[in-house]
């Protein structure tokens, strides 16, 4: 029997949840009916999928998917409809579908919870072969994933399974450290609201723990304790482009280009290289690169990157090992402003403001240097804690040029990171703005 495991969960904005609850309900229940009727999918039963993988000696394919999210619906459809690029490969996996993170084993399934589509390849004993699926924009995904790239990752996962357990040592780094909580509903902020299973017969939408809520709960725990949010949690799963590696989504892990003066460029990386290994771990995809970067300390490090160069294939002619040097503070090159998780961070640090860097032309009109803060207020929250900035007098179109005496926070994400880690709930911060051509100063409250 053909089986596919697709874990579906909510990667949707908090506001969207309330505005389109009925539509989401229809999509969740329709998805369930479709896959159960199909009959070739294990649905909502991960233990059964693990047992089947062991019995059939096949690798397990796990895809995390937000059903109502539109960004990756085409890729999700390609998997279900068995696109020609992956159809012969799907038969080599045990497959099933799970539609919430309630009860999810966080020791095994550690991933970027801001994604809208994610895939795990595993052995029945829980060993992880690799990950596939990346997102670096709120709406766009085609620069990060493709069915062609997925096919190449799937083939390498099959190859690794055939070599297992001889390669088990090289796969050890694909599992992370023991999590604080075994499952999402054990987080203090989630425990009062959720149980270990989603309920289809009643309140299905309300009972589902969305993927982004896992990361939100982890950050909130630090905030409520009055502690700084660790860089690894505040800047999770850095995208390779943050260090200058622009990857080709049509391939497994091929460098499309290298940005000038970036860490990758200064380390000697070149376009056309395939990344095969990092610190001994086999690399199946861009997501695997992110996994290694996620577990690299912010203080800097030197990574050993195994590279090759070849025609389109999974393994080419080895070129050797290239050192990738990451300096202190390298994680902050990544931008967190696009993430769904920025929504609760905005409540904490900006009172509900959505900001964007001012255009170069407008900067010149206002005589603001390129290395000085100029963040345009794109949206002002209207309700509850997200209306704190509104109540403080902020308006759409204001330009923030100073925050707590700082004028070097150049991106939305830079300001968020500074606010939540340098100012505690209850404190009040002076914010310098331009409204039209008039300079003003407003006071913004910091919140939990």
């Amino acid at each position: 029997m053909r089986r596919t495991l697709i874990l579906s969960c909510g990667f949707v904005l908090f506001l969207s949840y309330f505005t389109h609850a009925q539509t989401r309900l229809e999509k969740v229940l329709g998805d369930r009916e479709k896959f159960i009727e199909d009959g070739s999918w294990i649905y909502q039963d991960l233990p059964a999928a693990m047992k089947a993988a062991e019995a059939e000696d096949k690798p397990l394919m796990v895809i995390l998917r937000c059903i109502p999210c539109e960004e990756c619906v085409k890729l999700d459809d390609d998997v279900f409809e068995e696109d020609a690029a992956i159809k012969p490969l799907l038969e080599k996996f045990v497959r099933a579908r799970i539609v919430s993170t309630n009860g999810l084993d966080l020791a095994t399934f550690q991933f970027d919870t801001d994604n809208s589509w994610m895939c795990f390849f595993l052995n029945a004993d829980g060993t992880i072969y690799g990950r596939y699926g990346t997102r670096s924009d709120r709406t766009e995904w085609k620069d990060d994933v493709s069915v062609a790239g997925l096919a190449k990752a799937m083939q390498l996962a099959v190859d690794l399974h055939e070599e297992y357990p001889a390669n088990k040592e090289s796969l050890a780094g694909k599992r992370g450290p023991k999590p604080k909580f075994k499952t999402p509903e054990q987080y203090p902020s989630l425990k009062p609201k959720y149980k270990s299973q989603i309920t289809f017969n009643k309140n299905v939408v309300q009972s589902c723990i969305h993927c982004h809520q896992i990361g939100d709960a982890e950050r909130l725990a630090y905030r409520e304790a009055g502690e700084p949010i660790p860089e690894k949690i505040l800047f999770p799963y850095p995208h390779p482009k943050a260090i200058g590696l622009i990857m080709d989504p049509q391939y497994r892990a091929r460098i499309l280009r290298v940005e000038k003066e970036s860490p990758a460029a200064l380390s000697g990386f070149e376009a056309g290289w395939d990344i095969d290994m990092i610190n001994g771990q086999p690399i199946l995809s861009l997501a695997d690169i992110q996994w290694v970067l996620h577990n690299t300390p912010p203080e800097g490090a030197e990574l050993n990157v195994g590279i090759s160069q070849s025609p389109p294939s999974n393994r080419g002619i080895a070129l050797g090992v290239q050192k990738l040097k990451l300096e202190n503070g390298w994680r902050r090159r990544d931008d967190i402003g696009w993430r769904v998780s920025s929504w609760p961070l905005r409540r904490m640090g900006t009172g509900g403001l959505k900001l964007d860097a001012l255009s170069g032309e407008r900067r010149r009109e206002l005589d603001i240097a390129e290395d000085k803060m100029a963040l345009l207020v794109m949206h002002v929250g209207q309700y509850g804690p997200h209306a704190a900035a509104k109540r403080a007098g902020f308006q759409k179109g204001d330009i923030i040029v100073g925050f707590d005496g700082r004028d070097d926070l150049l991106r939305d994400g830079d300001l968020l990171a500074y606010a939540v880690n340098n100012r505690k709930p209850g404190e009040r911060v002076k914010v310098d703005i331009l409204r039209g051509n008039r300079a003003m100063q407003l006071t913004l409250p910091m919140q939990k």
Side-chain angles (χ1 to χ4, degrees), residues 128-285:
I128 298 170
Y129 296 130
R131 298 163 172 81
Y132 187 90
T134 302
R135 190 174 174 186
S136 59
D137 187 270
R138 192 175 297 278
T139 57
E140 295 296 325
W141 56 273
K142 293 182 179 179
D143 288 342
D144 296 313
V145 295
S146 73
V147 68
L150 174 60
K152 291 177 174 61
M154 291 172 69
Q155 181 57 62
L156 186 48
V158 170
D159 294 345
L160 291 173
H161 183 73
E162 291 177 352
E163 297 171 7
Y164 193 81
N167 55 4
K168 189 171 184 177
E169 185 177 348
S170 69
L171 301 170
K174 290 182 175 288
R175 290 181 67 92
K178 183 180 178 180
K180 288 186 176 180
F181 301 97
K182 185 177 180 180
T183 58
E185 67 275 7
Q186 293 179 9
Y187 275 96
S189 61
L190 300 178
K191 192 172 184 178
K193 305 175 185 178
Y194 299 98
K195 299 186 181 301
S196 61
Q197 293 183 351
I198 188 174
T199 56
F200 283 102
N201 59 345
K202 183 180 179 181
N203 298 329
V204 60
V205 173
Q206 292 85 345
S207 68
C208 176
I209 299 177
H210 303 186
C211 289
H212 71 84
Q213 288 179 279
I214 300 171
D216 294 346
E218 191 167 21
R219 285 179 284 273
L220 182 59
Y222 285 97
R223 185 71 170 172
E224 290 188 334
E227 300 175 4
I229 302 173
E231 295 244 328
K232 182 178 180 180
I233 298 173
L234 190 57
F235 291 87
Y237 295 87
H239 197 283
K241 67 182 180 182
I243 58 172
L245 290 175
I246 309 303
M247 309 303 293
D248 191 332
Q250 299 300 314
Y251 295 94
R252 177 184 51 76
R254 179 166 297 179
I255 301 173
L256 182 64
R257 69 176 186 275
V258 180
E259 299 289 7
K260 294 180 179 179
E261 303 303 319
S262 67
L266 297 175
S267 296
F269 282 75
E270 298 181 9
W273 286 358
D274 289 319
I275 296 177
D276 299 327
M277 306 278 288
I278 303 181
N279 286 358
Q281 293 184 37
I283 299 299
L284 278 68
S285 69

Side-chain angles (χ1 to χ4, degrees), residues 375-441:
L375 296 174
L376 178 65
V377 176
M378 304 294 293
H379 172 77
V380 181
Q382 299 295 305
Y383 305 102
H386 282 85
K390 176 185 176 182
R391 293 190 290 270
F394 288 84
Q395 298 178 10
K396 182 178 179 179
D398 288 346
I399 301 170
I400 296 179
V401 295
F403 187 92
D404 197 29
R406 298 281 297 269
D407 64 359
D408 59 344
L409 305 172
L410 305 184
R411 301 175 301 178
D412 182 26
D414 297 335
L415 191 152
L416 290 175
Y418 173 82
V420 300
N421 269 353
N422 292 276
R423 288 293 171 256
K424 296 181 179 180
E427 294 183 343
R428 302 177 69 83
V429 170
K430 299 293 184 181
V431 183
D432 299 308
I433 68 168
L434 296 178
R435 184 170 292 167
N437 292 320
R438 179 186 172 196
M440 302 174 59
Q441 188 176 78

Side-chain angles (χ1 to χ4, degrees), residues 1-2 16 114 117-118 122 125 130 185 188-189 201 211-212 230 320 337-338 341 379 402 409 412 430 442 446:
M1 178 183 291
R2 297 174 303 161
S16 172
D114 282 311
W117 196 95
M118 189 74 193
L122 306 99
D125 66 5
E185 67 275 7
S189 61
N201 59 345
C211 289
H212 71 84
W338 68 269
S341 58
H379 172 77
L409 305 172
D412 182 26
K430 299 293 184 181
L442 300 175
M446 299 292 100

Side-chain angles (χ1 to χ4, degrees), residues 23 28 42 44 59 113 122 143 183 292 306 325 352 372 387 418 423 431 440:
T23 299
V28 171
I42 295 177
Q44 200 68 1
T113 56
L122 306 99
D143 288 342
T183 58
V292 177
K325 297 180 180 179
K372 298 298 181 182
Y418 173 82
R423 288 293 171 256
V431 183
M440 302 174 59

Side-chain angles (χ1 to χ4, degrees), residues 16-35:
S16 172
Y17 167 83
F18 284 99
T19 306
H20 301 98
Q22 185 59 38
T23 299
R24 177 177 173 80
L25 173 62
E26 292 172 348
K27 288 182 177 181
V28 171
L29 294 180
D31 180 82
R32 180 172 182 257
E33 181 180 358
K34 178 177 69 174
F35 281 90

